[in-house]
Amino acid sequence: MERASQRPAQVPGGHISTGFANLDAMTQGLRRGSLVVLAGSTGMGKTALALNLARSISLQGEMAVQICSLDSSPTALLQRILASLCSVEAGRIASSRLTAEEWPRLGEAMAQLSAAPLFFSGQAINTVASIRAHSQELAAQRSEPLGLVVIDALQLLCGDPAEQLKELRELAAELRACVLLTCQSRPSVELRPGGLPLLHDLPALEAMQTYPHVIAMLHREEFWDPCTTKRGEAQLLLVKNSDNPLGTLRFGFEPGFSRFLGIDAP
């Protein structure tokens, strides 16, 4: 486990602020003990948005965030988070190809992250049992509950997806943390005009409808239509939102910096 420490802003009900005003308004923030699924097809930016949420929660307060990625190394994830903070592309950070003006920005971003309670678990953590063990160890070391556990992604976890969803809901309750799980949509979405995601595009549909408290599906029109007028925009469709309304939120998206920007206007 690698460490990359202000308590995050709280929204009504003691939920954790996501750092995005429009998302907080629809969800009341991330609820402790809840399982949140962030879904979408390839290339939508699921990992980037999950990292943006992790960055915001860890930097805005002394609330520990654990990131378990089964697809990317901790170094690669850290470079993407740094890119979102200092507006330098992650690839250039990796190769150290920065201008004289960019180096100080990178140094400032690195200082911010080094003081944040942000932790990474390696790619060998690929079962719910191993994630549970690492999360419990981290919580014990800090003598307080974690705020957020990010798991990227469902399709790379070992075992039956339906059982994994059940166990992850139980894990969220055990840890008193929000567990955020990214999930790949089925290929059927790619055959639909416009690629707009639907709930039935997700695997283990019955379990998906049962165990997560929130299901949010990410969509970028420009991915499917290069001529769209909505370039640089993303939609987050809340298709399940326990005790809160369903709806669609708009975000700005800067893929070069792995950065989402809240858009409050309809």
Side-chain angles (χ1 to χ4, degrees):
M1 197 174 297
E2 302 179 23
R3 178 168 181 175
S5 219
Q6 344 187 323
R7 192 161 302 278
Q10 300 289 325
V11 293
H15 298 190
I16 305 166
S17 173
T18 64
F20 294 100
N22 55 351
L23 182 55
D24 285 345
M26 287 286 288
T27 63
Q28 306 305 313
L30 300 178
R31 190 177 75 188
R32 284 192 172 277
S34 69
L35 173 61
V36 176
V37 171
L38 176 57
S41 57
T42 302
M44 292 300 102
K46 299 182 296 297
T47 301
L49 181 53
L51 292 177
N52 279 208
L53 295 171
R55 179 203 70 200
S56 177
I57 291 169
S58 65
L59 283 178
Q60 289 178 8
E62 295 177 355
M63 191 166 290
V65 175
Q66 181 183 11
I67 300 176
C68 308
S69 175
L70 288 72
D71 189 44
S72 301
S73 69
T75 298
L77 296 175
L78 181 58
Q79 288 167 349
R80 293 180 69 174
I81 295 174
L82 286 169
S84 71
L85 278 172
C86 68
S87 301
V88 178
E89 293 181 354
R92 294 178 55 223
I93 292 175
S95 62
S96 298
R97 294 185 292 106
L98 276 66
T99 66
E101 185 270 335
E102 291 170 335
W103 279 111
R105 298 210 312 262
L106 176 60
E108 181 179 349
M110 292 177 68
Q112 290 183 60
L113 285 184
S114 67
L118 185 61
F119 302 85
F120 300 89
S121 298
Q123 292 157 284
I125 308 301
N126 60 0
T127 65
V128 175
S130 59
I131 292 170
R132 174 183 282 106
H134 275 244
S135 299
Q136 290 175 338
E137 178 185 357
L138 178 56
Q141 289 173 356
R142 294 185 58 79
S143 300
E144 62 180 356
L146 305 180
L148 177 68
V149 177
V150 174
I151 304 171
D152 187 32
L154 174 62
Q155 65 272 13
L156 298 177
L157 281 171
C158 296
D160 175 61
E163 185 61 27
Q164 291 163 349
L165 288 165
K166 178 177 181 291
E167 292 179 1
L168 288 172
R169 180 178 173 124
E170 293 171 350
L171 177 61
E174 290 172 16
L175 295 173
R176 291 190 294 133
C178 175
V179 172
L180 175 64
L181 173 70
T182 66
C183 175
Q184 182 76 30
S185 298
R186 288 175 173 159
S188 56
V189 68
E190 300 175 11
L191 304 177
R192 189 178 303 125
L196 193 69
L198 300 172
L199 182 59
H200 67 239
D201 294 323
L202 301 182
L205 183 58
E206 184 176 350
M208 192 66 72
Q209 292 173 312
T210 301
Y211 297 116
H213 297 84
V214 176
I215 301 176
M217 305 191 74
L218 193 59
H219 176 66
R220 291 196 294 124
E221 190 172 301
E222 65 180 326
F223 190 86
W224 309 99
D225 179 10
C227 299
T228 181
T229 59
K230 296 181 180 179
R231 297 190 66 83
E233 288 192 18
Q235 292 176 301
L236 191 66
L237 290 73
L238 293 169
V239 297
K240 183 178 182 181
N241 191 18
S242 296
D243 302 320
N244 288 292
L246 305 180
T248 300
L249 302 173
R250 295 169 57 231
F251 293 85
F253 182 48
E254 299 174 331
F257 305 137
S258 293
R259 184 165 60 202
F260 282 82
L261 306 168
I263 299 177
D264 294 328

